[in-house]
Amino acid sequence: MINKRGLTPVEFDALPDGLFEYLMVFDQFIEPSGIMYDMHFHTQSLYNTTINNSNLTTEMRKTLKPIDFDFMDILKNPELTAHEKHEKREAEKLEKQSNSVSELGKMIKQMAGGSNGKK
């Protein structure tokens, strides 16, 4: 109600004690609106579109979940702020890059035999 209709300052002052808190609980938990509700709709919509694609293999259908389409990490980590989510994604990207470089080094050593041609 507060998010959809908006209240003027006069209406806020006229609210009885505790009604504002009740309205906030109603808006956030009972009748949610806003970004989380929109992301639930978005993820479910993309999930349904993808699952109904005839080119999708059976194995891929089994592995897909609606949460996979949460491109902003809103549903995966609702307790984190946008800045914390960005830092987490950057840290994961750096870790993935360093792991791929170390894996490449191991593969090169393995291909070379690790002996430098000496016996």
Side-chain angles (χ1 to χ4, degrees):
M1 176 179 164
I2 294 174
N3 292 334
K4 293 179 184 168
R5 181 173 164 262
L7 296 175
T8 65
V10 174
E11 289 174 324
F12 271 118
D13 291 338
L15 289 175
D17 294 336
L19 182 59
F20 179 75
E21 286 81 17
Y22 291 138
L23 288 174
M24 289 301 293
V25 168
F26 179 78
D27 278 348
Q28 291 176 1
F29 299 109
I30 299 171
E31 188 184 63
S33 61
I35 194 161
M36 288 190 75
Y37 182 77
D38 290 341
M39 188 54 76
H40 275 291
F41 174 80
H42 172 77
T43 57
Q44 196 63 41
S45 174
L46 286 177
Y47 174 75
N48 288 335
T49 303
T50 306
I51 286 295
N52 291 323
N53 186 347
S54 60
N55 295 327
L56 201 61
T57 63
T58 308
E59 297 88 31
M60 191 63 176
R61 285 180 207 269
K62 291 178 183 177
T63 60
L64 275 178
K65 298 180 294 277
I67 199 87
D68 295 336
F69 298 98
D70 180 18
F71 62 92
M72 294 178 67
D73 293 334
I74 292 172
L75 303 175
K76 293 177 187 172
N77 299 317
E79 68 278 351
L80 297 177
T81 63
H83 182 68
E84 291 170 337
K85 289 175 186 176
H86 177 71
E87 287 177 347
K88 183 178 177 184
R89 280 193 300 270
E90 290 297 319
E92 288 173 355
K93 186 193 301 184
L94 287 174
E95 182 180 341
K96 187 175 181 180
Q97 285 176 349
S98 67
N99 286 344
S100 65
V101 169
S102 65
E103 288 296 319
L104 181 62
K106 288 178 185 177
M107 192 167 50
I108 291 172
K109 279 184 179 179
Q110 188 179 30
M111 289 173 70
S115 63
N116 290 340
K118 298 179 181 178
K119 289 186 179 183

